[in-house]
Each structure stands twice: as structure tokens, then as C-alpha cells.
Amino acid sequence: MSPPLQIGQPPLATTSSAWVRLLLQGAEGFGLNSALLCEQSGIDAALLQEPQGRIPQTRVTALWNAITAACPDDDLALAIGRDIRLEHAPVISFAMQSSRNLREALERLLRFHRLIGEAIDLPLQETAQGVRISFHARQPVPLLSLHTSMVALVAMARWLTHQPVRPLSVTLRSQPPKHPERWLHYFGCPVQFAAPQNSIEFSHELLTTAVAGANPQQAAAQDLAARHALQQLNEQQALAHVRYWIEQSLVLGEPDRAWVAGCLGLSISTLQRRLRARGVTFKQLLEEVRREQAQRLLQQGVALPEIALRLGYQEQSNFQRAFKRWFGKTPGQARGGGPGRL
């Protein structure tokens, strides 16, 4: 296993494409157009169809904002979250279904929840009556996102146990909705609004509830599969952080390995060694970033000299040669609608 890059500066959290599809399905239930929502939030619709696809959290947040702007219903979290099922997150689903009881299932969810989304932390605290799970944002996310996750957690618990799971209490940071009774009815317990934190408390007795499809013999294998998926995600994120700082370096002119390595808290040699362990080089990542940026800026109608500068080229002729190497045509041909237009 290659060593971690030890990176944590930029907020590069992602969310699984499966979860985003569920959000869009819920929005469609309110009569909203999912294709338009994707366009407004900058989400690549093709990426949503990839089984292991990941969407940057910044775009997921933009999606939540677009949904809220189009449908300012304060019961959105209830409407979307209550229909979420664990089969929508297969790796976590199999791990949780192998658990003996609800407590084990919740512990596995907390251990592997980053496979669903990385923007929210779920710390667990033992209480006198049971356990309390809090929902903390690792980076700015709408309250609607947090509350939908809370509704979904209870829906998952009910799906796992085939029982009408009722928490001991629920606290929400939002102001009381127009119909608070709907929230009380869904959770089946006291719900405090305008609270200092978002949390759900479960009783000790409830945590012993058996999981309907428990298979202790498969538990170790499912945990191994989930850990492997989490390791793959960590690898993706490590490279994403390098790409992030390469993008930032383009603003300064010709990208500099030393500057990028310094932003990551690494020496140049250590950065290059760890990239090689992942089968890539700094030059390859720089090429990928420039190619993607060039295509995006060209489609946005940015002037060609400006594109060259944004990609860190001091001479436009260097940009022209690179562009033709990437796409087999000059930027002018691509923009002018000639053969092989982008």
C-alpha cells in the first residue's frame, strides 16, 4: 500500500453519484426538472450514471441551493430523505445488513459513511439512555442537506430492522417549519427546533434490535470490501488535492513543482515518489488539468489569449501547440466549428 500524501488543506469533499441521483429523484417529485438543476449547479449528468462516480461537494451544495430556490418547501428534507434506502449505497448496504443488531449497523455506517458523502461527520456520543449521533458539517453545507441525512438515517434503520424505529429525541438547528407535526409524526419522538446542534438519540434497548438480514459469517468479508472501497476513495482524494494545487499554481504563471509540493507540506522528491507509487507523474497531472481547463474555458467563450494565460502559458504559441497535441486541432478550429469541433 502506498503511503498517504498527508494532505488536508483545501475543502475537496465529494458525494457519491448514487446519493446525488436520489436527491434529483426527490426534487422531481416536487415537479422540478433534474436536467435543469444539473445545469444550474454545474453537475455533469454523465458522471451521475457512473457506479463509482463522485461529485464535488461544492456542486452538490449548489444543487441544494438550486432546489431550495425552485421549491422553498420546508418539508423537503422529509420528502427526500424518507424514501432513501440502503440498497442505493451497495457497499455500505452489504456491510450494515451483515450486522447482528442496529448498534452494529450504525457503527458500520459511521465507519464507512464517507463512501456516501464526505462533507458531514457523524460523531457518536454515549449518553445515559443510549447513544447520540450528531451531524456536523466538515465544510459549509445547507441545513437542508444535514436534515435530509438525518431523515434518511432513520429510514435506513427501519429498512434494516423491519421495525418502526423511533429515536428517543431529535434536535434540529432550523427554525420550526410550518407543519412541525409532520416531523414529530415521522420520527415518532420529541423534536426540538432551533437547537444548538443536529442530532438523533437512540435508546440502549432500541440498539439491540436485530437486523432482519443479519449474516455474522459474512461480516468480516463485507467489512473488508468496505475498507477497500474507502482506501480507493482516499487514493482518489490524494490525487485530487495535488490537482487542486496545480490549478491554483496556473494563476501564478508556469506551474512550479516546488510551490505545489510546499502547499502540500512535502518536499519535491517526496511528492514525486508518492505520485509514482500511484502510477502518475506531476507532468501527467499538469497535462490533464490544463487539457480539462482548456476545454471548459473554450466552451465558455473565453478569449484565446486569456485561456493561454489562465493555463500558465507565457506564449500563446505554446498554448496552440499543446492544444493541438491534446485535441488534434487548433483552438481556432475547435471554436470555429470546423472538422472535429469540441
Side-chain angles (χ1 to χ4, degrees), residues 15 19-20 22-24 26-27 32 37 41 43 57-71 76-78 80-81 84 119-120 140-149:
T15 295
W19 180 264
V20 177
L22 292 173
L23 303 185
L24 290 168
L32 304 184
L37 290 172
S41 51
I43 292 176
Q57 181 57 41
T58 51
R59 295 182 182 176
V60 180
T61 295
L63 172 61
W64 279 116
N65 292 336
I67 292 174
T68 304
C71 184
L76 269 173
L78 273 180
I80 297 176
I84 290 175
I120 300 175
V141 298
L143 279 176
L144 177 60
S145 175
L146 293 169
H147 294 168
T148 300
S149 298

Side-chain angles (χ1 to χ4, degrees), residues 12-44:
L12 293 176
T14 61
T15 295
S16 70
S17 58
W19 180 264
V20 177
R21 287 198 303 271
L22 292 173
L23 303 185
L24 290 168
Q25 290 172 14
E28 288 175 345
F30 282 84
L32 304 184
N33 185 303
S34 59
L36 179 59
L37 290 172
C38 284
E39 181 180 343
Q40 292 172 337
S41 51
I43 292 176
D44 183 355

Side-chain angles (χ1 to χ4, degrees), residues 1 4 21 57 60 62 76 85 109 112 118 129 142 147 169 180 243 253 281 305-306 322 327 336:
M1 182 182 300
R21 287 198 303 271
Q57 181 57 41
V60 180
L76 269 173
R85 299 291 182 269
L109 174 63
F112 303 124
E118 299 174 282
Q129 295 178 292
H147 294 168
S169 65
R243 289 171 59 93
T281 65
E306 177 67 17
F327 301 109

Side-chain angles (χ1 to χ4, degrees), residues 288-302:
E288 290 177 11
V289 169
R290 278 177 157 168
R291 184 180 186 278
E292 293 170 6
Q293 294 274 51
Q295 187 171 19
R296 179 178 62 82
L297 293 171
L298 193 72
Q299 292 172 343
Q300 291 176 354
V302 178

Side-chain angles (χ1 to χ4, degrees), residues 76-295:
L76 269 173
L78 273 180
I80 297 176
R82 70 196 314 162
D83 291 330
I84 290 175
R85 299 291 182 269
L86 268 174
E87 62 261 39
H88 301 137
V91 175
I92 292 182
S93 174
F94 294 139
M96 294 181 71
Q97 283 180 284
S98 69
S99 304
R100 293 175 300 175
N101 53 46
L102 184 57
R103 184 182 186 107
E104 282 191 7
L106 290 177
E107 288 174 345
R108 284 190 165 94
L109 174 63
L110 303 190
R111 196 180 310 146
F112 303 124
H113 76 276
R114 287 183 55 232
L115 295 174
I116 299 176
E118 299 174 282
I120 300 175
D121 281 329
L122 303 174
L124 183 147
Q125 175 188 4
E126 297 286 345
T127 67
Q129 295 178 292
V131 299
R132 178 181 295 111
I133 299 175
S134 300
F135 293 70
H136 294 165
R138 298 180 60 203
Q139 65 183 73
V141 298
L143 279 176
L144 177 60
S145 175
L146 293 169
H147 294 168
T148 300
S149 298
M150 296 172 69
V151 172
L153 176 60
V154 173
M156 291 177 181
R158 291 169 178 167
W159 182 81
L160 278 171
T161 62
H162 296 179
Q163 298 293 327
V165 169
R166 293 185 177 89
L168 281 175
S169 65
V170 171
T171 64
L172 301 168
R173 290 183 56 203
S174 61
Q175 295 301 311
K178 294 179 181 177
H179 301 285
E181 70 279 0
R182 296 176 182 173
W183 293 76
L184 273 67
H185 179 265
Y186 174 77
F187 286 114
C189 69
V191 178
Q192 178 188 354
F193 296 96
Q197 65 175 345
N198 299 294
S199 68
I200 302 177
E201 185 176 10
F202 296 102
S203 69
H204 288 301
E205 180 181 4
L206 181 61
L207 294 173
T208 64
T209 305
V211 170
N215 190 338
Q217 291 75 24
Q218 289 293 320
Q222 301 302 341
D223 281 351
L224 182 62
R227 284 196 296 271
H228 178 68
L230 197 58
Q231 175 62 24
Q232 288 183 316
L233 177 60
N234 290 337
E235 293 292 320
Q236 294 172 10
Q237 283 297 80
L239 292 179
H241 279 79
V242 179
R243 289 171 59 93
Y244 172 87
W245 287 114
I246 289 177
E247 290 176 6
Q248 303 309 303
S249 74
L250 294 178
V251 180
L252 304 177
E254 188 68 27
D256 182 81
R257 284 180 175 81
W259 187 86
V260 172
C263 291
L264 298 169
L266 303 172
S267 67
I268 298 176
S269 59
T270 299
L271 172 62
Q272 293 185 152
R273 184 175 66 254
R274 293 183 181 180
L275 288 177
R276 284 197 301 270
R278 290 164 173 82
V280 296
T281 65
F282 184 90
K283 182 178 180 180
Q284 288 173 329
L285 288 180
L286 173 58
E287 284 280 291
E288 290 177 11
V289 169
R290 278 177 157 168
R291 184 180 186 278
E292 293 170 6
Q293 294 274 51
Q295 187 171 19

